[in-house]
Amino acid sequence: MTLDSLLNDMRGRAAQVAAKARALAVRKPLTVMTAVAVASLCGGAALNAAEVARMHGVATANEQGIEDTRRDAQREINALAARMGELQAQANRLNALGDRLARGAGLEDGEFDFDRPVGQGGAEPARDMPARKLLGGMDALDGDLASSGQQLSVLEALLFDRRIEQNALPSRSPVASSFVTSSYGYRADPFGRGGQFHKGIDFDARTGDRVMTVADGVVSYSGVRSGYGNVVEVDHGNGYVTRYAHNSRNVVKVGDLVRVGDEIAKAGSTGRSTGAHVHFEVWENGRVQNPRQFLGDMGVSRQ
C-alpha cells in the first residue's frame, strides 16, 4: 500500500466517524452534551488543581518567611535581654558603691536613697522607637555607666585615703566616760613645789580603766619613763606620736599594730602622780603639741 492510499484510507475513516457523530447528535443530543460537559469539567478540574497547587506553594513560602522573621526578631530580643542584663548589673554595682560611699562619707540617712526610683516626666507624646535607636541609646547608657563607675571608684579611693589619714590623726579621748582634770601649759605643781610646764592633758580615771589609743598606729614604746611611770607611746606616721602615762599596767608591746579605740593599757597612778588618771601627750615631728587642738571637746565628753 502506497502513502497516498494510506492517507486516503485514514481520511475515509475520519469522515465515517464524523458522520456517525452527526447522526448520534441528531438522535441523542443529551448524550453528546453530557460528554462535552464531562470533558469541560475534567479540563476545569485540571486547571483548578494547578491553581490550588500554586497557591499552596505561595502559602508555604509565606509561612517560611514569617518563621524566618520571627527567628530574627527573637534573636534581637535575646540580644537586647543580654545587654539589659549587663546594664542592670552595672547599675546594681554603682548603686552599691554609691551607698557605701554615702555611708563612708557620713551622709545623713535618706539623703541619697539608692533604692528609691528617681522622678521623671515629659509633656511630649510617645512614639514607637526603632530598634536601631534603642540599641544606640543602650550603647550611650553603657558608656555613661562606665564613666560614672570610674568616677565613683576614684572618689572611693580618695575617701579611703582621707579616712586612713583621719584615723591616723589623734581625734578622741584616751579614756571613756571622763573629764579633764589638768590642761596643757604652765600650771602650779600638784606637789606644791612651785610652777611647771605640763606637756599634756590629764583625764580623770579609776585604776584599771581601759586606756585607748586615739588613732591607728604602731606601738613604738612600752615601758617605764622617769616621772611618767608606766608609759605607752604609739607612732601614727606623718610625724605624729602619742604618749599615755601613769598606767597601772601596759597591755601592748613594741611593734604591735593598734587601731583607734584599741586598749593599750590600764589606768593607774604610777610615777609622779597624786592619784589615778591618764596623762596624754601629742608630739608632732619631735615637738610637743597641745592635745586640745586635736581632740576639741571630745576630751570632756563621754565616748
Side-chain angles (χ1 to χ4, degrees):
M1 179 178 293
T2 65
L3 179 60
D4 290 338
S5 61
L6 181 60
L7 292 174
N8 289 333
D9 181 63
M10 291 178 65
R11 291 190 189 97
R13 291 186 179 183
Q16 291 177 4
V17 171
K20 290 180 180 181
R22 285 194 294 271
L24 181 60
V26 172
R27 293 194 303 272
K28 298 181 178 180
L30 183 59
T31 301
V32 175
M33 292 176 65
T34 301
V36 173
V38 170
S40 299
L41 288 174
C42 289
L47 290 174
N48 289 337
E51 181 65 18
V52 169
R54 186 187 69 79
M55 295 179 65
H56 179 71
V58 172
T60 300
N62 289 340
E63 289 178 358
Q64 185 61 43
I66 293 173
E67 180 62 21
D68 291 343
T69 301
R70 187 195 68 79
R71 282 198 297 267
D72 291 342
Q74 188 60 51
R75 279 195 294 269
E76 289 188 9
I77 292 174
N78 292 341
L80 288 174
R83 194 63 179 279
M84 185 65 71
E86 293 174 358
L87 294 177
Q88 185 63 50
Q90 282 186 273
N92 289 339
R93 185 182 69 84
L94 291 180
N95 284 341
L97 179 57
D99 182 64
R100 187 166 67 249
L101 290 178
R103 287 185 282 106
L107 298 178
E108 296 181 0
D109 293 340
E111 185 170 351
F112 287 93
D113 187 355
F114 291 91
D115 294 324
R116 180 175 57 84
V118 297
Q120 293 181 327
E124 297 299 324
R127 293 186 296 270
D128 292 339
M129 178 181 290
R132 184 169 60 253
K133 198 166 186 178
L134 175 60
L135 288 173
M138 295 180 75
D139 288 339
L141 178 58
D142 188 19
D144 291 342
L145 289 176
S147 177
S148 297
Q150 293 174 355
Q151 293 174 359
L152 286 176
S153 296
V154 171
L155 179 59
E156 181 182 34
L158 292 175
L159 288 176
F160 180 73
D161 291 342
R162 191 180 74 174
R163 186 162 60 248
I164 290 178
E165 291 178 357
Q166 289 176 339
N167 288 343
L169 189 69
S171 59
R172 60 169 295 163
S173 170
V175 60
S177 305
S178 183
F179 56 90
V180 174
T181 58
S182 183
S183 298
Y184 172 87
Y186 284 97
R187 67 173 185 177
D189 179 61
F191 292 93
R193 297 179 181 177
Q196 66 173 184
F197 185 83
H198 191 221
K199 296 180 180 179
I201 293 179
D202 291 340
F203 291 89
D204 179 68
R206 295 181 296 272
T207 300
D209 282 351
R210 298 172 70 246
V211 179
M212 300 171 290
T213 180
V214 299
D216 296 348
V218 177
V219 176
S220 56
Y221 183 85
S222 179
V224 178
R225 288 192 183 279
S226 176
Y228 287 98
N230 292 326
V231 173
V232 171
E233 294 176 1
V234 178
D235 189 335
H236 306 284
N238 296 321
Y240 287 102
V241 175
T242 52
R243 176 178 294 169
Y244 312 79
H246 304 302
N247 308 318
S248 62
R249 179 167 60 92
N250 298 339
V251 299
V252 292
K253 61 183 183 299
V254 173
D256 285 350
L257 177 65
V258 291
R259 300 292 185 187
V260 57
D262 285 352
E263 181 181 14
I264 56 175
K266 298 291 186 181
S269 185
T270 59
R272 194 170 185 270
S273 170
T274 62
H277 69 286
V278 176
H279 175 83
F280 175 67
E281 295 180 6
V282 175
W283 293 74
E284 181 182 8
N285 296 320
R287 298 174 64 90
V288 67
Q289 304 291 325
N290 185 350
R292 177 72 72 181
Q293 63 180 312
F294 301 101
L295 304 183
D297 293 331
M298 298 183 70
V300 296
S301 61
R302 295 181 181 273
Q303 306 298 306

